[in-house]
Amino acid sequence: MTDILSDVTVFTDGRWQDHRDIHITDGIVTGIHPSVSRGDVTRHVIPGFVNTHTHLQQSLMRGMAENTGLLEWLRLIGTETVQITPERAYLATVAASLELLRSGTTTVVEHMWPTPSSAVHEAVIRGLNDTGIRAVLGRGIADRADASRRWGFEPALLSPIDDVLAHVAGLIELTADSRISPALAVPNPRSITKEGLAATRAFAESHAVPVMIHLLETITDDVMCHEHLGMSAVKFLEAADFLWPQLLAVHCVELDSYGQDILAERGVAVAYNPVCNMRLGSGVAPVVSMMERGIKVGLGVDGAASNDTQDMFQAFRIGAYLQRVANKRADILTFPEMIDIACGGANENLGLPAVVGGVSVGAPADLTVIQFDRDYATLPVRDPGAMILTAGSAAIVDRVLVDGEVVYRDGKSTRVDEEELIEGLSRLTT
């Protein structure tokens, strides 16, 4: 059966084309054709955003550890994370996923912190399935215990590496034929040994799953790696043969020229999280420099304990503006550049279909339908792309499709009872 989004203006092949019909068959865009209709086009279609980095459980931790830097923030957040229950994990997942859908996001890359609880993972999977969002689900993995989280990870959350990998193999089976793709999520270079990295990469390659790792969000990774290993964080990962095209490096705020060259050479992609980096005072990732070297860059919101929203429109705008400030140039990261970053910049490393130049035939029908007249603050529309970048918000999202299914329409989920969700969240105690 073929569905049609009729008489829309669509961003495709790097430009806006009006009066088009988008044909969708079995969840795939099968055609973009001139429309026989010639009405007043008010709907604009773009690919759904791909949020390349978040921590869904933190949607219950908004505003925590405000005015603290990364290490103190990690200590406080870690204490809360140890106490996660399946009920809280489910509610957090649904709340964060719906907030992402509301802001035009069709795919979320979830970086779970390590936890030995299979029930928590199953609750997250249930929450993702209930909302209908597409997800790359990173199961946390680490093997260097340290309650301070400076040189290692919270001991209460660790499991033997072999047990973790066996669990991921089970998750692969559990999520087969769903919109969820499992992955491995390393907290940072400080939390895992060289042997742990070797086991992680071997499993990832044999099971064709991506890997993600926080890297150089601040100088702490380098300071700790120099202190304990006598080398930088990038050189540690290089020595462990842990830089390859299945890897997504998250943040990279302190990635120097040497590190950028190595990541580019090894095909590592980067998740750029501008709002989180601003909130924690971490700095500005050298995105323009990385892209000039050929590094693939995707956009992320990070968790709601350090953002404190899951709003991709906000990250979309600030991500561009922050680079313009850092580079003192207004002519960089235009709408076409940002839409490639936000919808497909890191997709290859994550095992997701490519998104280049907007909506394309043969791609999954993961689409966001924009209607500017839903918000007078975006009218009149002189340039649709400029308007989305400079003034866009969740208010202009008419509907969101994942695999061709409308999962969000007119400000509401089509799958989840939001009043029931609000009641469940309101009952939680902090």
Side-chain angles (χ1 to χ4, degrees):
M1 179 178 176
T2 298
D3 295 318
I4 299 175
L5 282 174
S6 61
D7 198 19
V8 297
T9 297
V10 56
F11 189 74
T12 182
D13 198 24
R15 60 191 178 91
W16 292 102
Q17 298 184 27
D18 59 9
H19 297 294
R20 291 295 188 272
D21 289 345
I22 301 176
H23 293 245
I24 300 169
T25 305
D26 297 329
I28 301 295
V29 176
T30 53
I32 302 174
H33 307 295
S35 178
V36 295
S37 303
R38 280 294 185 270
D40 294 329
V41 174
T42 60
R43 293 185 298 170
H44 292 70
V45 181
I46 60 173
F49 293 136
V50 175
N51 172 19
T52 57
H53 183 67
T54 197
H55 306 281
L56 295 170
Q57 294 172 26
Q58 290 180 15
S59 66
L60 305 184
M61 307 177 197
R62 300 173 197 273
M64 281 190 62
E66 167 65 348
N67 294 122
T68 64
L70 178 64
L71 286 178
E72 176 66 8
W73 179 89
L74 281 171
R75 185 182 68 79
L76 295 169
I77 294 300
T79 300
E80 184 88 1
T81 303
V82 171
Q83 302 168 1
I84 195 71
T85 64
E87 178 196 12
R88 293 175 73 91
Y90 174 80
L91 289 171
T93 298
V94 173
S97 297
L98 292 189
E99 189 177 359
L100 287 165
L101 287 168
R102 185 172 69 186
S103 64
T105 304
T106 52
T107 299
V108 57
V109 181
E110 161 65 356
H111 189 124
M112 287 189 70
W113 287 15
T115 176
S117 171
S118 59
V120 165
H121 290 89
E122 289 164 8
V124 171
I125 289 170
R126 184 161 52 90
L128 292 169
N129 280 329
D130 284 355
T131 65
I133 198 168
R134 193 182 302 281
V136 177
L137 177 61
R139 201 285 190 198
I141 184 168
D143 68 348
R144 183 181 281 129
D146 178 5
S148 77
R149 299 179 131 258
R150 294 179 66 86
W151 179 245
F153 201 79
E154 168 58 52
L157 296 174
L158 296 187
S159 303
I161 290 282
D162 288 346
D163 290 353
V164 172
L165 297 179
H167 185 214
V168 177
L171 293 179
I172 293 172
E173 293 185 12
L174 182 64
T175 58
D177 301 319
S178 76
R179 294 173 186 168
I180 302 172
S181 304
L184 287 161
V186 182
N188 50 57
R190 313 186 310 273
S191 66
I192 192 165
T193 63
K194 187 174 182 179
E195 293 74 22
L197 291 173
T200 299
R201 175 166 179 174
F203 181 92
E205 292 188 323
S206 64
H207 291 76
V209 298
V211 180
M212 55 198 80
I213 182 171
H214 294 88
L215 177 63
L216 292 167
E217 183 173 359
T218 66
I219 61 171
T220 300
D221 284 340
D222 269 350
V223 170
M224 292 287 106
C225 284
H226 275 295
E227 179 179 330
H228 291 275
L229 300 171
M231 65 182 76
S232 71
V234 169
K235 286 189 176 180
F236 169 52
L237 296 179
E238 183 184 15
D241 197 21
F242 203 72
L243 300 173
W244 85 113
Q246 278 175 251
L247 185 67
L248 176 73
V250 180
H251 296 300
C252 294
V253 170
E254 295 291 340
L255 191 67
D256 60 17
S257 295
Y258 170 80
Q260 292 176 46
D261 288 340
I262 291 296
L263 264 60
E265 179 183 323
R266 302 296 173 81
V268 177
V270 169
Y272 170 42
N273 303 276
V275 179
C276 163
N277 297 156
M278 293 169 66
R279 203 265 219 186
L280 295 178
S282 301
V284 183
V287 167
V288 174
S289 176
M290 289 191 287
M291 292 177 67
E292 287 173 347
R293 285 172 163 83
I295 295 176
K296 299 179 288 291
V297 177
L299 185 66
V301 298
D302 212 334
S306 65
N307 183 305
D308 291 48
T309 75
Q310 295 292 280
D311 185 349
M312 277 288 283
F313 279 103
Q314 182 188 65
F316 191 66
R317 176 179 304 109
I318 290 178
Y321 287 3
L322 191 57
Q323 292 302 313
R324 295 178 190 182
V325 170
N327 291 274
K328 296 183 178 180
R329 292 177 54 191
D331 62 340
I332 57 175
L333 297 189
T334 61
F335 172 78
E337 293 170 315
M338 282 303 298
I339 206 75
D340 280 352
I341 290 172
C343 299
N347 283 19
E348 182 178 354
N349 291 58
L350 293 166
L352 298 169
V355 177
V356 179
V359 179
S360 60
V361 174
D366 293 0
L367 307 172
T368 295
V369 181
I370 301 293
Q371 195 145 342
F372 291 107
D373 59 9
R374 294 175 66 96
D375 182 6
Y376 63 84
T378 58
L379 298 173
V381 181
R382 300 175 184 273
D383 176 336
M387 191 58 63
I388 292 170
L389 178 62
T390 63
S393 71
I396 62 173
V397 175
D398 175 70
R399 68 191 67 180
V400 176
L401 291 76
V402 180
D403 264 345
E405 177 195 353
V406 177
V407 295
Y408 183 88
R409 178 192 286 117
D410 294 330
K412 296 288 184 181
S413 169
T414 63
R415 286 169 157 241
V416 174
D417 185 330
E418 294 188 19
E419 290 186 2
E420 184 176 317
L421 172 65
I422 290 169
E423 290 178 6
L425 291 169
S426 299
R427 286 195 299 268
L428 294 178
T429 56
T430 56

